[in-house]
Amino acid sequence: MAGIVLDKVSKVYGGGVRAVDGLELDIKDGEFMVLVGPSGCGKSTALRMIAGLEEITDGTITIGDRVVNDLAPKDRDIAMVFQNYALYPHMTVEQNLAFGLKLRGVSKEERAKKVQEAAKMLGLEQFLSRKPAALSGGQRQRVAMGRAIVREPQAFLMDEPLSNLDAKLRVSMRASLSQLHERLKVTTVYVTHDQVEAMTLGDRVCVLREGRLQQVDTPQRLFDNPVNLFVAGFIGSPAMNFVSADLVRGDQGVHVAFAGLTLPVPDDLLEDKPGLDAYFGRKVILGIRPSDFEDAAHAKPDWAPLHATSSVTEELGSEINVIFTIDAPPVEHKDTADLAEDAAEGEADMAIPLVENKALWTARVNSRSQVRPGQPIELAVDTRRLHFFDPASGLAIGHPAAASAGVPLGKSS
C-alpha cells in the first residue's frame, strides 16, 4: 500500500483548455479519497493522470516513494475499476479474475488461491463458471472489483464504478465497497459526480470545480463548514437555501434580515465566525440548510420562528420536504449560477428555481407535521447553524481557509 501525492498537477489540452489546474492533494496510505464535482470539473482527468492514462502537463505525481510521471500504467502498481466493467465476454468469471495474474506469470496454484479468496470476499463463489452475459449489473461490477483485488496493488483507482447500476443496487454496492475498504485498507481514489455517494464512501472528499480544488475535508466537515457558496450548494441534498440579507445590530441584539423576515444571530455563532462583525450594516449572503428547519410544533423551544406558506410538500415517509417561496429574488453570483447550470444538466439536485422572480426554499420537517400544500406553516430555524458568505467573493465568512484564500474579511473588492 502507499500514499499518493499530487503536487501542483495540471493538464492542458490543445487550444489552452485547462482541465486540471495546479491540483495539490495528499492522499494518505490506506485512505478512501473521493473526487467529486460537476461534469467537466476535471475529476476523471485527475484520476487518469494518476493511472498514467493521461500525460501530465505540469507538476509531480508520487505513489508511495516513487515519482511516476514517466512510468507506464502497468509499472505504477495500481488497479483500475471502470463504470463499464471492462470484462472479457468470452471468459468465465474465474478466468476474468485470474487473467491479470496469468499475464504477470503468477503460478497456477497461486492464481487459484487468490481467485478463491476474492470470490469469497465478494460473494461470487457460485458464479465462477458463468460468463459475464449471465450476470446482473451488480455481479459484473463485483467481478471487475475482484479482478482489481487479486492484483493486490498499492492503490485502487475507481472511475464512477456504480453509475450504470439502478438506485437500489447502488446503495447495496456502496455498503459493499465500504466493507471491502475496511477489510483491505488499500489506498483508494474514487471518482463520482454523485455527492451522496461521495459523502457516504469517502474518508475525505475533494470537491473540484473547473479543474481547481475547492475544498478537501471529511464529509461531515464539508457539510458543516463549506469554504464557499459553491461547496455549500453542491454538498447536501436538498441543497442549501441562499438569500441576500442584511446583518444588523440593534437593541434586541444581532439579527439577519431578508424578505421581510428576521432571524436572531446567537452570540456564540458571532464569536465562532471571525470577521462577521465587520459586516454589520452591510449585505451578506445567508445560507440555511433544509435540515436546519423544523415544524415549530416539533422543534426545540430555542429555535427561531419563521412564517411561510407551503407551495409543495414531498412526503418521504421518515420526513417531509416543505417547498415554499420567499419574497426575495434568487442570489446572483457565479457560484450559484454554476450550480444552477449543473443542475439543469441533471448532475445533481441543486437548482435555484424561480417563481415570479422569487426563490423557492426547502425545509425538511418531521413526518408527523400536519403541513399541507397551499397552507401556512410555522417553521423554526436552528440559528446556531446559519451560514454567511461574502457577496463579492462567495467565500464563507469566518472559515479559516476562506480567510487565507480570498478577499480579506470585511472587504468587498
Side-chain angles (χ1 to χ4, degrees):
M1 293 190 296
I4 300 172
V5 178
L6 283 72
D7 183 15
K8 298 179 181 175
V9 170
S10 296
K11 176 64 181 181
V12 182
Y13 290 106
V17 177
R18 192 169 284 270
V20 176
D21 189 1
L23 180 58
E24 296 199 34
L25 197 58
D26 189 346
I27 302 164
K28 299 178 180 66
D29 186 6
E31 183 174 31
F32 199 120
M33 173 67 78
V34 179
L35 309 184
V36 70
S39 289
C41 71
K43 54 189 184 293
S44 289
T45 303
L47 190 79
R48 290 173 62 82
M49 286 194 289
I50 296 171
L53 301 175
E54 289 278 2
E55 286 189 12
I56 303 166
T57 305
D58 293 301
T60 303
I61 294 179
T62 305
I63 300 177
D65 56 1
R66 296 190 303 168
V67 174
V68 299
N69 287 29
D70 300 319
L71 286 183
K74 65 183 179 62
D75 299 323
R76 298 193 180 199
D77 198 13
I78 52 91
M80 282 201 74
V81 181
F82 300 94
Q83 69 183 73
N84 63 354
Y85 320 134
L87 302 179
Y88 296 105
H90 62 286
M91 293 184 184
T92 64
V93 168
E94 184 174 14
Q95 290 167 334
N96 266 285
L97 292 174
F99 185 70
L101 299 176
K102 187 176 180 180
L103 287 181
R104 285 167 178 77
V106 176
S107 69
K108 188 174 182 181
E109 294 76 17
E110 186 67 13
R111 290 202 307 265
K113 179 185 173 186
K114 289 180 181 294
V115 166
Q116 285 297 327
E117 287 174 352
K120 184 176 180 181
M121 192 183 300
L122 293 163
L124 292 170
E125 293 165 293
Q126 67 269 41
F127 305 117
L128 287 173
S129 61
R130 294 190 189 181
K131 291 186 177 178
L135 302 176
S136 68
Q139 289 162 351
R140 290 179 199 175
Q141 194 55 276
R142 276 187 279 158
V143 175
M145 290 174 187
R147 195 170 53 186
I149 289 167
V150 297
R151 295 253 321 270
E152 297 181 354
Q154 290 194 88
F156 294 134
L157 307 181
M158 301 189 179
D159 191 2
E160 305 207 40
L162 308 185
S163 62
N164 285 345
L165 306 180
D166 63 50
K168 187 175 180 180
L169 193 51
R170 279 202 303 271
V171 173
S172 64
M173 286 298 291
R174 283 205 306 263
S176 297
L177 270 173
S178 294
Q179 291 169 346
L180 270 175
H181 183 256
E182 193 62 31
R183 290 179 64 176
L184 299 171
K185 300 293 186 186
V186 176
T187 307
T188 302
V189 186
Y190 186 102
V191 162
T192 181
H193 67 271
D194 183 337
Q195 53 97 10
V196 175
E197 218 168 86
M199 297 286 280
T200 53
L201 283 172
D203 294 326
R204 287 191 298 158
V205 176
C206 165
V207 182
L208 293 171
R209 172 193 181 197
E210 296 177 345
R212 298 186 185 93
L213 174 66
Q214 300 296 298
Q215 187 174 1
V216 57
D217 214 327
T218 65
Q220 195 60 50
R221 284 203 287 265
L222 281 179
F223 185 84
D224 291 336
N225 297 297
V227 73
N228 58 29
L229 278 170
F230 182 84
V231 176
F234 191 84
I235 297 295
S237 181
M240 185 182 286
N241 305 296
F242 298 118
V243 68
S244 179
D246 295 291
L247 190 65
V248 180
R249 190 198 297 272
D251 296 339
Q252 304 300 315
V254 178
H255 64 272
V256 62
F258 60 97
L261 305 166
T262 60
L263 291 173
V265 178
D267 292 340
D268 289 349
L269 183 65
L270 202 61
E271 292 173 11
D272 287 345
K273 295 190 180 296
L276 183 57
D277 54 2
Y279 287 80
F280 287 134
R282 298 174 48 203
K283 291 287 185 184
V284 294
I285 294 175
L286 171 68
I288 308 177
R289 290 209 178 276
S291 53
D292 292 327
F293 285 94
E294 184 53 278
D295 186 320
H298 302 282
K300 295 179 180 178
D302 59 339
W303 287 26
L306 188 146
H307 303 281
T309 299
S310 167
S311 299
V312 177
T313 59
E314 297 176 338
E315 298 188 25
L316 304 175
S318 59
E319 58 211 2
I320 301 172
N321 286 340
V322 180
I323 300 170
F324 60 98
T325 61
I326 61 166
D327 191 15
V331 169
E332 293 186 4
H333 191 277
K334 186 180 189 313
D335 286 5
T336 55
D338 286 353
L339 290 166
E341 181 181 345
D342 185 58
E345 294 175 1
E347 287 288 15
D349 179 20
M350 59 185 69
I352 301 175
L354 307 179
V355 175
E356 297 175 350
N357 204 34
K358 295 180 181 179
L360 279 180
W361 275 22
T362 302
R364 180 163 282 178
V365 304
N366 195 295
S367 61
R368 295 190 297 274
S369 171
Q370 300 300 309
V371 62
R372 295 291 179 269
Q375 295 183 356
I377 179 174
E378 182 83 5
L379 295 169
V381 181
D382 183 357
T383 53
R384 297 167 301 175
R385 299 177 65 84
L386 299 177
H387 298 262
F388 299 93
F389 303 90
D390 182 274
S393 67
L395 295 172
I397 301 169
H399 193 292
S404 63
V407 176
L409 293 173
K411 307 286 185 181
S412 56
S413 61

